[in-house]
PDB file of all heavy atoms in Angstrom:
ATOM      1  N   SER A   1     264.777  10.817 115.653  1.00 56.00           N
ATOM      2  CA  SER A   1     263.960  10.804 116.861  1.00 56.00           C
ATOM      3  C   SER A   1     263.055   9.582 116.830  1.00 56.00           C
ATOM      4  O   SER A   1     262.531   9.206 115.779  1.00 56.00           O
ATOM      5  CB  SER A   1     263.109  12.076 116.952  1.00 56.00           C
ATOM      6  OG  SER A   1     263.935  13.216 117.082  1.00 56.00           O
ATOM      7  N   ILE A   2     262.875   8.958 117.979  1.00 55.00           N
ATOM      8  CA  ILE A   2     261.987   7.808 118.051  1.00 55.00           C
ATOM      9  C   ILE A   2     260.585   8.270 118.417  1.00 55.00           C
ATOM     10  O   ILE A   2     260.401   9.351 118.971  1.00 55.00           O
ATOM     11  CB  ILE A   2     262.480   6.790 119.093  1.00 55.00           C
ATOM     12  CG1 ILE A   2     262.463   7.416 120.490  1.00 55.00           C
ATOM     13  CG2 ILE A   2     263.868   6.284 118.757  1.00 55.00           C
ATOM     14  CD1 ILE A   2     262.731   6.424 121.589  1.00 55.00           C
ATOM     15  N   PRO A   3     259.577   7.475 118.087  1.00 55.00           N
ATOM     16  CA  PRO A   3     258.198   7.859 118.433  1.00 55.00           C
ATOM     17  C   PRO A   3     258.019   8.004 119.934  1.00 55.00           C
ATOM     18  O   PRO A   3     258.591   7.243 120.717  1.00 55.00           O
ATOM     19  CB  PRO A   3     257.366   6.691 117.879  1.00 55.00           C
ATOM     20  CG  PRO A   3     258.233   6.049 116.846  1.00 55.00           C
ATOM     21  CD  PRO A   3     259.645   6.236 117.329  1.00 55.00           C
ATOM     22  N   GLY A   4     257.247   8.983 120.340  1.00 54.00           N
ATOM     23  CA  GLY A   4     257.006   9.208 121.758  1.00 54.00           C
ATOM     24  C   GLY A   4     256.341   8.035 122.428  1.00 54.00           C
ATOM     25  O   GLY A   4     256.532   7.799 123.610  1.00 54.00           O
ATOM     26  N   GLN A   5     255.568   7.254 121.659  1.00 50.00           N
ATOM     27  CA  GLN A   5     254.876   6.110 122.234  1.00 50.00           C
ATOM     28  C   GLN A   5     255.857   5.092 122.804  1.00 50.00           C
ATOM     29  O   GLN A   5     255.624   4.493 123.853  1.00 50.00           O
ATOM     30  CB  GLN A   5     253.991   5.444 121.181  1.00 50.00           C
ATOM     31  CG  GLN A   5     253.175   4.281 121.740  1.00 50.00           C
ATOM     32  CD  GLN A   5     252.283   3.660 120.679  1.00 50.00           C
ATOM     33  OE1 GLN A   5     252.277   4.082 119.518  1.00 50.00           O
ATOM     34  NE2 GLN A   5     251.513   2.665 121.064  1.00 50.00           N
ATOM     35  N   LEU A   6     257.016   4.894 122.111  1.00 52.00           N
ATOM     36  CA  LEU A   6     258.004   3.953 122.588  1.00 52.00           C
ATOM     37  C   LEU A   6     258.572   4.410 123.930  1.00 52.00           C
ATOM     38  O   LEU A   6     258.740   3.624 124.851  1.00 52.00           O
ATOM     39  CB  LEU A   6     259.136   3.790 121.567  1.00 52.00           C
ATOM     40  CG  LEU A   6     260.298   2.872 121.999  1.00 52.00           C
ATOM     41  CD1 LEU A   6     259.790   1.467 122.270  1.00 52.00           C
ATOM     42  CD2 LEU A   6     261.388   2.853 120.927  1.00 52.00           C
ATOM     43  N   GLN A   7     258.853   5.717 124.015  1.00 53.00           N
ATOM     44  CA  GLN A   7     259.404   6.232 125.255  1.00 53.00           C
ATOM     45  C   GLN A   7     258.422   6.050 126.401  1.00 53.00           C
ATOM     46  O   GLN A   7     258.811   5.796 127.534  1.00 53.00           O
ATOM     47  CB  GLN A   7     259.760   7.708 125.111  1.00 53.00           C
ATOM     48  CG  GLN A   7     260.443   8.269 126.362  1.00 53.00           C
ATOM     49  CD  GLN A   7     260.770   9.725 126.225  1.00 53.00           C
ATOM     50  OE1 GLN A   7     260.207  10.416 125.388  1.00 53.00           O
ATOM     51  NE2 GLN A   7     261.683  10.207 127.042  1.00 53.00           N
ATOM     52  N   ASN A   8     257.134   6.171 126.098  1.00 60.00           N
ATOM     53  CA  ASN A   8     256.133   6.114 127.152  1.00 60.00           C
ATOM     54  C   ASN A   8     255.741   4.692 127.531  1.00 60.00           C
ATOM     55  O   ASN A   8     254.970   4.507 128.459  1.00 60.00           O
ATOM     56  CB  ASN A   8     254.879   6.880 126.715  1.00 60.00           C
ATOM     57  CG  ASN A   8     255.147   8.375 126.599  1.00 60.00           C
ATOM     58  OD1 ASN A   8     255.985   8.913 127.320  1.00 60.00           O
ATOM     59  ND2 ASN A   8     254.471   9.040 125.679  1.00 60.00           N
ATOM     60  N   SER A   9     256.257   3.696 126.821  1.00 72.00           N
ATOM     61  CA  SER A   9     255.866   2.323 127.118  1.00 72.00           C
ATOM     62  C   SER A   9     257.069   1.451 127.435  1.00 72.00           C
ATOM     63  O   SER A   9     257.387   1.208 128.608  1.00 72.00           O
ATOM     64  CB  SER A   9     255.074   1.734 125.942  1.00 72.00           C
ATOM     65  OG  SER A   9     255.845   1.843 124.739  1.00 72.00           O
ATOM     66  N   GLU A  10     257.762   0.990 126.394  1.00 75.00           N
ATOM     67  CA  GLU A  10     258.864   0.046 126.603  1.00 75.00           C
ATOM     68  C   GLU A  10     259.984   0.647 127.444  1.00 75.00           C
ATOM     69  O   GLU A  10     260.492   0.013 128.372  1.00 75.00           O
ATOM     70  CB  GLU A  10     259.408  -0.417 125.251  1.00 75.00           C
ATOM     71  CG  GLU A  10     258.421  -1.211 124.418  1.00 75.00           C
ATOM     72  CD  GLU A  10     259.021  -1.625 123.095  1.00 75.00           C
ATOM     73  OE1 GLU A  10     260.251  -1.823 123.042  1.00 75.00           O
ATOM     74  OE2 GLU A  10     258.281  -1.754 122.116  1.00 75.00           O
ATOM     75  N   TRP A  11     260.407   1.861 127.114  1.00 72.00           N
ATOM     76  CA  TRP A  11     261.531   2.455 127.828  1.00 72.00           C
ATOM     77  C   TRP A  11     261.195   2.726 129.285  1.00 72.00           C
ATOM     78  O   TRP A  11     262.004   2.476 130.172  1.00 72.00           O
ATOM     79  CB  TRP A  11     261.954   3.750 127.134  1.00 72.00           C
ATOM     80  CG  TRP A  11     263.220   4.328 127.720  1.00 72.00           C
ATOM     81  CD1 TRP A  11     263.342   5.346 128.607  1.00 72.00           C
ATOM     82  CD2 TRP A  11     264.562   3.877 127.460  1.00 72.00           C
ATOM     83  NE1 TRP A  11     264.654   5.581 128.921  1.00 72.00           N
ATOM     84  CE2 TRP A  11     265.424   4.695 128.223  1.00 72.00           C
ATOM     85  CE3 TRP A  11     265.101   2.878 126.660  1.00 72.00           C
ATOM     86  CZ2 TRP A  11     266.815   4.536 128.203  1.00 72.00           C
ATOM     87  CZ3 TRP A  11     266.490   2.721 126.637  1.00 72.00           C
ATOM     88  CH2 TRP A  11     267.320   3.548 127.409  1.00 72.00           C
ATOM     89  N   GLN A  12     259.990   3.209 129.553  1.00 81.00           N
ATOM     90  CA  GLN A  12     259.593   3.478 130.929  1.00 81.00           C
ATOM     91  C   GLN A  12     259.496   2.186 131.740  1.00 81.00           C
ATOM     92  O   GLN A  12     259.823   2.174 132.928  1.00 81.00           O
ATOM     93  CB  GLN A  12     258.270   4.237 130.966  1.00 81.00           C
ATOM     94  CG  GLN A  12     258.400   5.689 130.507  1.00 81.00           C
ATOM     95  CD  GLN A  12     257.130   6.480 130.738  1.00 81.00           C
ATOM     96  OE1 GLN A  12     256.103   5.922 131.110  1.00 81.00           O
ATOM     97  NE2 GLN A  12     257.190   7.785 130.518  1.00 81.00           N
ATOM     98  N   GLN A  13     259.056   1.108 131.100  1.00 85.00           N
ATOM     99  CA  GLN A  13     259.001  -0.174 131.781  1.00 85.00           C
ATOM    100  C   GLN A  13     260.410  -0.644 132.157  1.00 85.00           C
ATOM    101  O   GLN A  13     260.641  -1.134 133.265  1.00 85.00           O
ATOM    102  CB  GLN A  13     258.322  -1.226 130.901  1.00 85.00           C
ATOM    103  CG  GLN A  13     258.254  -2.621 131.499  1.00 85.00           C
ATOM    104  CD  GLN A  13     257.466  -2.670 132.803  1.00 85.00           C
ATOM    105  OE1 GLN A  13     256.555  -1.874 133.021  1.00 85.00           O
ATOM    106  NE2 GLN A  13     257.819  -3.606 133.680  1.00 85.00           N
ATOM    107  N   ARG A  14     261.357  -0.460 131.255  1.00 84.00           N
ATOM    108  CA  ARG A  14     262.750  -0.813 131.545  1.00 84.00           C
ATOM    109  C   ARG A  14     263.283   0.027 132.701  1.00 84.00           C
ATOM    110  O   ARG A  14     264.006  -0.484 133.567  1.00 84.00           O
ATOM    111  CB  ARG A  14     263.623  -0.598 130.303  1.00 84.00           C
ATOM    112  CG  ARG A  14     263.346  -1.551 129.154  1.00 84.00           C
ATOM    113  CD  ARG A  14     264.228  -1.199 127.979  1.00 84.00           C
ATOM    114  NE  ARG A  14     263.852  -1.911 126.777  1.00 84.00           N
ATOM    115  CZ  ARG A  14     264.390  -1.687 125.583  1.00 84.00           C
ATOM    116  NH1 ARG A  14     265.326  -0.760 125.454  1.00 84.00           N
ATOM    117  NH2 ARG A  14     263.997  -2.380 124.534  1.00 84.00           N
ATOM    118  N   GLU A  15     262.937   1.308 132.716  1.00 85.00           N
ATOM    119  CA  GLU A  15     263.397   2.179 133.802  1.00 85.00           C
ATOM    120  C   GLU A  15     262.823   1.738 135.142  1.00 85.00           C
ATOM    121  O   GLU A  15     263.527   1.739 136.157  1.00 85.00           O
ATOM    122  CB  GLU A  15     263.008   3.626 133.509  1.00 85.00           C
ATOM    123  CG  GLU A  15     263.847   4.293 132.441  1.00 85.00           C
ATOM    124  CD  GLU A  15     263.554   5.773 132.330  1.00 85.00           C
ATOM    125  OE1 GLU A  15     262.392   6.172 132.578  1.00 85.00           O
ATOM    126  OE2 GLU A  15     264.471   6.531 131.981  1.00 85.00           O
ATOM    127  N   ARG A  16     261.557   1.363 135.163  1.00 88.00           N
ATOM    128  CA  ARG A  16     260.942   0.918 136.423  1.00 88.00           C
ATOM    129  C   ARG A  16     261.620  -0.351 136.941  1.00 88.00           C
ATOM    130  O   ARG A  16     261.895  -0.484 138.131  1.00 88.00           O
ATOM    131  CB  ARG A  16     259.439   0.677 136.222  1.00 88.00           C
ATOM    132  CG  ARG A  16     258.613   1.958 136.123  1.00 88.00           C
ATOM    133  CD  ARG A  16     257.133   1.664 136.226  1.00 88.00           C
ATOM    134  NE  ARG A  16     256.659   0.904 135.072  1.00 88.00           N
ATOM    135  CZ  ARG A  16     256.163   1.467 133.969  1.00 88.00           C
ATOM    136  NH1 ARG A  16     256.094   2.788 133.858  1.00 88.00           N
ATOM    137  NH2 ARG A  16     255.730   0.724 132.975  1.00 88.00           N
ATOM    138  N   GLU A  17     261.881  -1.288 136.042  1.00 91.00           N
ATOM    139  CA  GLU A  17     262.536  -2.533 136.437  1.00 91.00           C
ATOM    140  C   GLU A  17     263.955  -2.268 136.939  1.00 91.00           C
ATOM    141  O   GLU A  17     264.405  -2.873 137.917  1.00 91.00           O
ATOM    142  CB  GLU A  17     262.558  -3.504 135.260  1.00 91.00           C
ATOM    143  CG  GLU A  17     261.176  -4.017 134.865  1.00 91.00           C
ATOM    144  CD  GLU A  17     261.200  -4.831 133.592  1.00 91.00           C
ATOM    145  OE1 GLU A  17     262.286  -4.911 132.966  1.00 91.00           O
ATOM    146  OE2 GLU A  17     260.146  -5.384 133.212  1.00 91.00           O
ATOM    147  N   ALA A  18     264.663  -1.367 136.255  1.00 90.00           N
ATOM    148  CA  ALA A  18     266.034  -1.038 136.660  1.00 90.00           C
ATOM    149  C   ALA A  18     266.050  -0.376 138.027  1.00 90.00           C
ATOM    150  O   ALA A  18     266.889  -0.695 138.883  1.00 90.00           O
ATOM    151  CB  ALA A  18     266.667  -0.114 135.616  1.00 90.00           C
ATOM    152  N   ALA A  19     265.134   0.558 138.261  1.00 92.00           N
ATOM    153  CA  ALA A  19     265.076   1.244 139.550  1.00 92.00           C
ATOM    154  C   ALA A  19     264.742   0.264 140.679  1.00 92.00           C
ATOM    155  O   ALA A  19     265.312   0.341 141.769  1.00 92.00           O
ATOM    156  CB  ALA A  19     264.043   2.362 139.499  1.00 92.00           C
ATOM    157  N   THR A  20     263.835  -0.669 140.417  1.00 93.00           N
ATOM    158  CA  THR A  20     263.474  -1.668 141.424  1.00 93.00           C
ATOM    159  C   THR A  20     264.677  -2.533 141.795  1.00 93.00           C
ATOM    160  O   THR A  20     264.921  -2.829 142.970  1.00 93.00           O
ATOM    161  CB  THR A  20     262.332  -2.559 140.906  1.00 93.00           C
ATOM    162  OG1 THR A  20     261.173  -1.752 140.664  1.00 93.00           O
ATOM    163  CG2 THR A  20     261.986  -3.642 141.918  1.00 93.00           C
ATOM    164  N   PHE A  21     265.449  -2.932 140.780  1.00 93.00           N
ATOM    165  CA  PHE A  21     266.641  -3.737 141.028  1.00 93.00           C
ATOM    166  C   PHE A  21     267.664  -2.974 141.864  1.00 93.00           C
ATOM    167  O   PHE A  21     268.215  -3.495 142.840  1.00 93.00           O
ATOM    168  CB  PHE A  21     267.262  -4.167 139.703  1.00 93.00           C
ATOM    169  CG  PHE A  21     268.686  -4.631 139.832  1.00 93.00           C
ATOM    170  CD1 PHE A  21     268.990  -5.775 140.540  1.00 93.00           C
ATOM    171  CD2 PHE A  21     269.719  -3.910 139.264  1.00 93.00           C
ATOM    172  CE1 PHE A  21     270.304  -6.207 140.674  1.00 93.00           C
ATOM    173  CE2 PHE A  21     271.034  -4.318 139.392  1.00 93.00           C
ATOM    174  CZ  PHE A  21     271.323  -5.474 140.099  1.00 93.00           C
ATOM    175  N   LEU A  22     267.946  -1.721 141.512  1.00 94.00           N
ATOM    176  CA  LEU A  22     268.922  -0.930 142.258  1.00 94.00           C
ATOM    177  C   LEU A  22     268.467  -0.689 143.688  1.00 94.00           C
ATOM    178  O   LEU A  22     269.284  -0.685 144.618  1.00 94.00           O
ATOM    179  CB  LEU A  22     269.164   0.401 141.551  1.00 94.00           C
ATOM    180  CG  LEU A  22     269.902   0.342 140.213  1.00 94.00           C
ATOM    181  CD1 LEU A  22     270.064   1.745 139.627  1.00 94.00           C
ATOM    182  CD2 LEU A  22     271.267  -0.326 140.360  1.00 94.00           C
ATOM    183  N   GLN A  23     267.181  -0.489 143.875  1.00 94.00           N
ATOM    184  CA  GLN A  23     266.666  -0.283 145.229  1.00 94.00           C
ATOM    185  C   GLN A  23     266.843  -1.545 146.067  1.00 94.00           C
ATOM    186  O   GLN A  23     267.258  -1.481 147.233  1.00 94.00           O
ATOM    187  CB  GLN A  23     265.188   0.108 145.176  1.00 94.00           C
ATOM    188  CG  GLN A  23     264.605   0.444 146.543  1.00 94.00           C
ATOM    189  CD  GLN A  23     263.249   1.125 146.439  1.00 94.00           C
ATOM    190  OE1 GLN A  23     262.651   1.183 145.361  1.00 94.00           O
ATOM    191  NE2 GLN A  23     262.760   1.655 147.529  1.00 94.00           N
ATOM    192  N   GLU A  24     266.558  -2.698 145.493  1.00 92.00           N
ATOM    193  CA  GLU A  24     266.732  -3.957 146.226  1.00 92.00           C
ATOM    194  C   GLU A  24     268.195  -4.177 146.577  1.00 92.00           C
ATOM    195  O   GLU A  24     268.521  -4.588 147.695  1.00 92.00           O
ATOM    196  CB  GLU A  24     266.213  -5.122 145.376  1.00 92.00           C
ATOM    197  CG  GLU A  24     266.322  -6.470 146.076  1.00 92.00           C
ATOM    198  CD  GLU A  24     265.777  -7.607 145.231  1.00 92.00           C
ATOM    199  OE1 GLU A  24     265.398  -7.364 144.067  1.00 92.00           O
ATOM    200  OE2 GLU A  24     265.745  -8.744 145.733  1.00 92.00           O
ATOM    201  N   LEU A  25     269.079  -3.903 145.620  1.00 92.00           N
ATOM    202  CA  LEU A  25     270.507  -4.076 145.852  1.00 92.00           C
ATOM    203  C   LEU A  25     270.992  -3.175 146.988  1.00 92.00           C
ATOM    204  O   LEU A  25     271.732  -3.613 147.875  1.00 92.00           O
ATOM    205  CB  LEU A  25     271.270  -3.760 144.559  1.00 92.00           C
ATOM    206  CG  LEU A  25     272.791  -3.827 144.608  1.00 92.00           C
ATOM    207  CD1 LEU A  25     273.255  -5.252 144.891  1.00 92.00           C
ATOM    208  CD2 LEU A  25     273.379  -3.327 143.286  1.00 92.00           C
ATOM    209  N   SER A  26     270.573  -1.927 146.974  1.00 90.00           N
ATOM    210  CA  SER A  26     271.009  -0.981 148.007  1.00 90.00           C
ATOM    211  C   SER A  26     270.465  -1.348 149.377  1.00 90.00           C
ATOM    212  O   SER A  26     271.195  -1.337 150.379  1.00 90.00           O
ATOM    213  CB  SER A  26     270.569   0.437 147.633  1.00 90.00           C
ATOM    214  OG  SER A  26     271.229   0.874 146.460  1.00 90.00           O
ATOM    215  N   GLU A  27     269.201  -1.674 149.451  1.00 84.00           N
ATOM    216  CA  GLU A  27     268.595  -2.002 150.735  1.00 84.00           C
ATOM    217  C   GLU A  27     269.185  -3.275 151.323  1.00 84.00           C
ATOM    218  O   GLU A  27     269.397  -3.373 152.533  1.00 84.00           O
ATOM    219  CB  GLU A  27     267.076  -2.128 150.577  1.00 84.00           C
ATOM    220  CG  GLU A  27     266.390  -0.801 150.279  1.00 84.00           C
ATOM    221  CD  GLU A  27     264.897  -0.935 150.091  1.00 84.00           C
ATOM    222  OE1 GLU A  27     264.416  -2.097 150.054  1.00 84.00           O
ATOM    223  OE2 GLU A  27     264.215   0.096 149.978  1.00 84.00           O
ATOM    224  N   LEU A  28     269.491  -4.252 150.481  1.00 81.00           N
ATOM    225  CA  LEU A  28     270.073  -5.487 150.959  1.00 81.00           C
ATOM    226  C   LEU A  28     271.445  -5.259 151.574  1.00 81.00           C
ATOM    227  O   LEU A  28     271.822  -5.906 152.552  1.00 81.00           O
ATOM    228  CB  LEU A  28     270.178  -6.497 149.813  1.00 81.00           C
ATOM    229  CG  LEU A  28     270.682  -7.885 150.166  1.00 81.00           C
ATOM    230  CD1 LEU A  28     269.720  -8.588 151.114  1.00 81.00           C
ATOM    231  CD2 LEU A  28     270.882  -8.712 148.913  1.00 81.00           C
ATOM    232  N   SER A  29     272.199  -4.317 151.018  1.00 82.00           N
ATOM    233  CA  SER A  29     273.545  -4.040 151.512  1.00 82.00           C
ATOM    234  C   SER A  29     273.548  -3.055 152.671  1.00 82.00           C
ATOM    235  O   SER A  29     274.610  -2.755 153.223  1.00 82.00           O
ATOM    236  CB  SER A  29     274.399  -3.463 150.378  1.00 82.00           C
ATOM    237  OG  SER A  29     274.025  -2.124 150.104  1.00 82.00           O
ATOM    238  N   ALA A  30     272.378  -2.519 153.028  1.00 76.00           N
ATOM    239  CA  ALA A  30     272.219  -1.495 154.070  1.00 76.00           C
ATOM    240  C   ALA A  30     272.660  -0.127 153.602  1.00 76.00           C
ATOM    241  O   ALA A  30     272.902   0.766 154.409  1.00 76.00           O
ATOM    242  CB  ALA A  30     272.931  -1.870 155.361  1.00 76.00           C
ATOM    243  N   GLY A  31     272.754   0.055 152.287  1.00 83.00           N
ATOM    244  CA  GLY A  31     273.041   1.371 151.736  1.00 83.00           C
ATOM    245  C   GLY A  31     271.756   2.130 151.468  1.00 83.00           C
ATOM    246  O   GLY A  31     270.751   1.926 152.161  1.00 83.00           O
ATOM    247  N   ARG A  32     271.777   2.963 150.440  1.00 86.00           N
ATOM    248  CA  ARG A  32     270.578   3.742 150.112  1.00 86.00           C
ATOM    249  C   ARG A  32     270.399   3.819 148.613  1.00 86.00           C
ATOM    250  O   ARG A  32     271.370   3.878 147.850  1.00 86.00           O
ATOM    251  CB  ARG A  32     270.684   5.170 150.672  1.00 86.00           C
ATOM    252  CG  ARG A  32     270.539   5.280 152.164  1.00 86.00           C
ATOM    253  CD  ARG A  32     270.601   6.726 152.615  1.00 86.00           C
ATOM    254  NE  ARG A  32     269.529   7.523 152.067  1.00 86.00           N
ATOM    255  CZ  ARG A  32     269.452   8.857 152.137  1.00 86.00           C
ATOM    256  NH1 ARG A  32     270.429   9.518 152.745  1.00 86.00           N
ATOM    257  NH2 ARG A  32     268.443   9.513 151.632  1.00 86.00           N
ATOM    258  N   PHE A  33     269.144   3.830 148.190  1.00 93.00           N
ATOM    259  CA  PHE A  33     268.770   4.060 146.800  1.00 93.00           C
ATOM    260  C   PHE A  33     268.407   5.527 146.669  1.00 93.00           C
ATOM    261  O   PHE A  33     267.549   6.027 147.395  1.00 93.00           O
ATOM    262  CB  PHE A  33     267.585   3.176 146.420  1.00 93.00           C
ATOM    263  CG  PHE A  33     266.986   3.487 145.080  1.00 93.00           C
ATOM    264  CD1 PHE A  33     267.664   3.193 143.911  1.00 93.00           C
ATOM    265  CD2 PHE A  33     265.734   4.091 144.983  1.00 93.00           C
ATOM    266  CE1 PHE A  33     267.114   3.476 142.675  1.00 93.00           C
ATOM    267  CE2 PHE A  33     265.172   4.380 143.753  1.00 93.00           C
ATOM    268  CZ  PHE A  33     265.862   4.063 142.592  1.00 93.00           C
ATOM    269  N   MET A  34     269.067   6.236 145.739  1.00 93.00           N
ATOM    270  CA  MET A  34     268.892   7.682 145.644  1.00 93.00           C
ATOM    271  C   MET A  34     268.619   8.089 144.197  1.00 93.00           C
ATOM    272  O   MET A  34     269.552   8.327 143.413  1.00 93.00           O
ATOM    273  CB  MET A  34     270.132   8.392 146.182  1.00 93.00           C
ATOM    274  CG  MET A  34     270.496   7.969 147.599  1.00 93.00           C
ATOM    275  SD  MET A  34     271.919   8.835 148.292  1.00 93.00           S
ATOM    276  CE  MET A  34     271.196  10.469 148.598  1.00 93.00           C
ATOM    277  N   PRO A  35     267.361   8.153 143.793  1.00 90.00           N
ATOM    278  CA  PRO A  35     267.053   8.651 142.453  1.00 90.00           C
ATOM    279  C   PRO A  35     267.422  10.116 142.332  1.00 90.00           C
ATOM    280  O   PRO A  35     267.267  10.890 143.284  1.00 90.00           O
ATOM    281  CB  PRO A  35     265.538   8.434 142.338  1.00 90.00           C
ATOM    282  CG  PRO A  35     265.045   8.363 143.739  1.00 90.00           C
ATOM    283  CD  PRO A  35     266.157   7.790 144.554  1.00 90.00           C
ATOM    284  N   SER A  36     267.932  10.507 141.173  1.00 85.00           N
ATOM    285  CA  SER A  36     268.397  11.880 141.008  1.00 85.00           C
ATOM    286  C   SER A  36     268.287  12.304 139.551  1.00 85.00           C
ATOM    287  O   SER A  36     268.543  11.515 138.647  1.00 85.00           O
ATOM    288  CB  SER A  36     269.854  12.011 141.468  1.00 85.00           C
ATOM    289  OG  SER A  36     270.368  13.300 141.210  1.00 85.00           O
ATOM    290  N   GLU A  37     267.915  13.536 139.349  1.00 85.00           N
ATOM    291  CA  GLU A  37     268.011  14.113 138.021  1.00 85.00           C
ATOM    292  C   GLU A  37     269.490  14.373 137.720  1.00 85.00           C
ATOM    293  O   GLU A  37     270.286  14.642 138.626  1.00 85.00           O
ATOM    294  CB  GLU A  37     267.224  15.424 137.944  1.00 85.00           C
ATOM    295  CG  GLU A  37     265.735  15.291 138.207  1.00 85.00           C
ATOM    296  CD  GLU A  37     265.021  14.486 137.140  1.00 85.00           C
ATOM    297  OE1 GLU A  37     265.530  14.470 135.996  1.00 85.00           O
ATOM    298  OE2 GLU A  37     263.987  13.879 137.446  1.00 85.00           O
TER     299      GLU A  37
END
């Protein structure tokens, strides 16, 4: 198991950047960005 601090910092930052990129890609193509569990 990795320390919880890593999950709450570096990994979450990567997730935010990834979500922003996918949203831009979808909106540019006139599709939709759909976050989902």
Side-chain angles (χ1 to χ4, degrees):
S1 296
I2 63 171
Q5 183 179 1
L6 176 60
Q7 184 181 19
N8 293 330
S9 55
E10 296 180 30
W11 187 260
Q12 288 188 352
Q13 178 61 29
R14 292 178 190 174
E15 285 188 328
R16 285 192 293 268
E17 292 173 355
T20 298
F21 163 66
L22 291 180
Q23 184 167 10
E24 181 179 5
L25 178 64
S26 295
E27 291 179 353
L28 184 64
S29 74
R32 288 182 62 190
F33 171 71
M34 305 182 73
S36 175
E37 299 294 333

